[in-house]
């Protein structure tokens, strides 16, 4: 079978301090990092032991994981595994990038986010250009705060046109965007309207829980990051039995990593092989 897994271990710390984020400048203890490393190792081993299946993996850490060598090593290793079709990670791109040259470029992908309050646009764009020239596949995105609009537009202008720039809508404030601002953000991200509103999902058919699922550091499976009911554990020999087609039980789904699996939106053909790293088929290298 072909599965997509969203993995989130116990790591919860970040080297950046975005003011809207609970992980801003949080730290893990040495013991917590050791625990996270051990659990990540177990997960990587599990993917190898389950060689009868093919996996696409997106790491969605609480905080920044790529500054940790053990994540760099795990991703490098996974990118060379035969039964891994894609290994991707959400990152602020503050990590060194030299290790990426040891990865299989056909399988590595990055979901990078630009945080204008934490790094200058010039430095971020420079790093993206280096990554682009080295052949790494990645998307770039940011939160569409209206006070950052000029910065977002300049980011789009300064990146090579082949790099997809996504914008996450600020959905916390009702009627946050004027029509003019929506149009400006659509000019940056032609797919912005998909993210602008949470999608009605109650009772709707969703691949999360069937071919896509979330896993925590202890192997606990949930159908997605947004429905917390445990459905099984990957370290049980019969873990596949936890997976079946079922309707969504949440009222709405507003995050790209969730709603892209909602059947009614039919977004699979839009993103194709770039679904996990958020690169539409008509963009990216
Ligand atoms: S980079 Fe991401 S995880 Fe870190 S503080 Fe900013 S929003 Fe939070
Ligand atoms: S629609 Fe969203 S919340 Fe519902 S099951 Fe799918 S991913 Fe989860």
């Amino acid at each position: 079978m072909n599965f997509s897994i969203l993995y989130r271990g116990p790591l919860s710390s970040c080297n950046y301090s975005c003011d809207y984020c609970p992980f801003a400048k949080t730290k893990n203890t040495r013991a917590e990092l050791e625990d996270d490393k051990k659990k990540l190792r177990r997960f990587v081993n599990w993917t190898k032991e389950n060689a009868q299946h093919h996996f696409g993996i997106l790491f969605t850490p609480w905080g920044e994981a790529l500054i940790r060598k053990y994540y760099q090593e795990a991703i490098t290793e996974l990118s060379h595994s035969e039964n891994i079709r894609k290994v991707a990670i959400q990152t602020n791109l503050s990590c060194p990038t030299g290790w990426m040259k040891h990865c299989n470029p056909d399988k590595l992908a990055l979901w990078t986010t630009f945080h204008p309050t934490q790094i200058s646009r010039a430095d971020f764009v420079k790093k993206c250009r280096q990554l682009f020239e080295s052949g790494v596949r990645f998307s770039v995105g940011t939160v569409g705060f209206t006070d950052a609009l000029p910065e977002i537009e300049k980011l789009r202008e300064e990146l090579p046109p082949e790099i997809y720039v996504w914008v996450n809508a600020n959905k916390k404030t009702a009627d946050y965007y004027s029509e003019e601002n929506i149009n400006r953000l659509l000019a940056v991200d032609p797919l912005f309207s998909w993210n602008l509103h949470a999608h009605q999902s109650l009772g709707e058919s969703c691949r999360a829980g069937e071919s896509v699922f979330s896993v925590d550091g202890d192997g606990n499976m949930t159908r997605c990051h947004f429905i917390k009911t445990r459905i099984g554990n990957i370290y049980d020999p019969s873990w596949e039995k936890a997976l079946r087609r079922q309707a969504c039980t949440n009222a709405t789904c507003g995050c790209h990593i969730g709603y892209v699996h909602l059947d009614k939106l039919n977004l699979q053909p839009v993103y194709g092989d770039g679904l996990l790293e958020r690169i539409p088929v008509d963009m990216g290298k």
Side-chain angles (χ1 to χ4, degrees):
M1 273 283 293
N2 224 325
F3 294 108
S4 292
I5 299 177
L6 275 63
Y7 178 90
R8 180 179 286 155
L11 180 106
S12 68
S13 52
C14 191
N15 54 338
Y16 276 8
S17 53
C18 308
D19 56 10
Y20 59 89
C21 178
F23 308 110
K25 286 276 182 210
T26 47
K27 283 193 169 45
N28 283 120
T29 62
R30 194 179 287 254
E32 285 167 342
L33 289 173
E34 267 311 308
D35 180 51
D36 185 56
K37 180 179 178 180
K38 209 169 72 197
K39 287 172 171 164
L40 179 61
R41 182 69 254 162
R42 190 179 183 202
F43 174 68
V44 171
N45 289 346
W46 173 85
T47 64
K48 289 169 188 278
E49 287 154 14
N50 282 269
Q52 74 278 24
H53 297 302
H54 285 88
F55 300 109
I57 297 165
L58 173 64
F59 290 98
T60 58
W62 265 323
E64 180 56 37
L66 270 195
I67 50 173
R68 308 284 167 200
K69 203 162 174 231
Y70 61 90
Y71 272 92
Q72 299 170 8
E73 287 169 352
I75 286 170
T76 306
E77 183 177 337
L78 286 166
S79 78
H80 290 286
S81 285
E82 261 193 31
N83 67 325
I84 300 296
R85 64 169 200 280
K86 175 75 57 74
V87 55
I89 183 165
Q90 296 178 325
T91 174
N92 62 23
L93 203 59
S94 60
C95 65
T97 55
W99 61 274
M100 293 179 198
K101 66 175 181 287
H102 303 295
C103 293
N104 177 350
D106 296 334
K107 297 190 181 184
L108 172 70
L110 305 177
W111 161 315
T112 75
T113 304
F114 172 51
H115 299 282
T117 60
Q118 306 298 303
I119 181 170
S120 73
R121 193 180 75 247
D123 286 348
F124 187 80
V125 167
K126 190 171 160 202
K127 208 153 184 188
C128 288
R129 284 189 169 277
Q130 283 164 356
L131 216 53
F132 181 69
E133 275 149 29
S134 70
V136 174
R137 188 177 154 81
F138 63 105
S139 66
V140 173
T142 192
V143 183
F145 292 119
T146 48
D147 55 359
L149 245 165
E151 192 70 2
I152 297 170
E153 289 170 326
K154 284 188 199 124
L155 174 76
R156 172 62 286 174
E157 271 168 42
E158 291 169 8
L159 286 171
E162 295 91 335
I163 296 176
Y164 172 58
V165 176
W166 50 263
V167 179
N168 272 350
N170 173 19
K171 298 190 259 305
K172 287 191 180 140
T173 315
D175 302 322
Y176 180 70
Y177 294 105
S178 65
E179 201 179 324
E180 189 205 331
N181 285 345
I182 290 174
N183 287 333
R184 285 175 70 179
L185 288 167
L186 275 169
V188 172
D189 174 7
L191 299 174
F192 177 64
S193 41
W194 290 107
N195 197 271
L196 192 52
H197 306 286
H199 300 276
Q200 298 289 329
S201 57
L202 187 66
E204 297 288 346
S205 169
C206 180
R207 293 187 296 283
E210 186 189 36
S211 57
V212 185
F213 57 96
S214 295
V215 172
D216 73 10
D218 294 315
N220 292 310
M221 304 159 71
T222 54
R223 60 182 302 189
C224 62
H225 281 342
F226 316 105
I227 298 177
K228 303 288 179 202
T229 312
R230 181 185 176 278
I231 58 171
N233 189 291
I234 57 168
Y235 301 124
D236 288 342
S238 57
W239 61 269
E240 295 101 324
K241 289 199 177 131
L243 300 167
R244 63 194 158 82
R245 177 59 58 121
Q246 52 198 307
C248 177
T249 52
N250 275 8
T252 58
C253 190
C255 233
H256 173 93
I257 56 171
Y259 65 67
V260 283
H261 306 299
L262 202 47
D263 284 321
K264 70 171 184 179
L265 300 184
N266 200 24
L267 287 170
Q268 185 106 45
V270 175
Y271 290 94
D273 183 41
L275 197 79
L276 287 180
E277 66 270 32
R278 203 171 178 172
I279 301 180
V281 285
D282 56 355
M283 294 198 83
K285 299 209 311 169

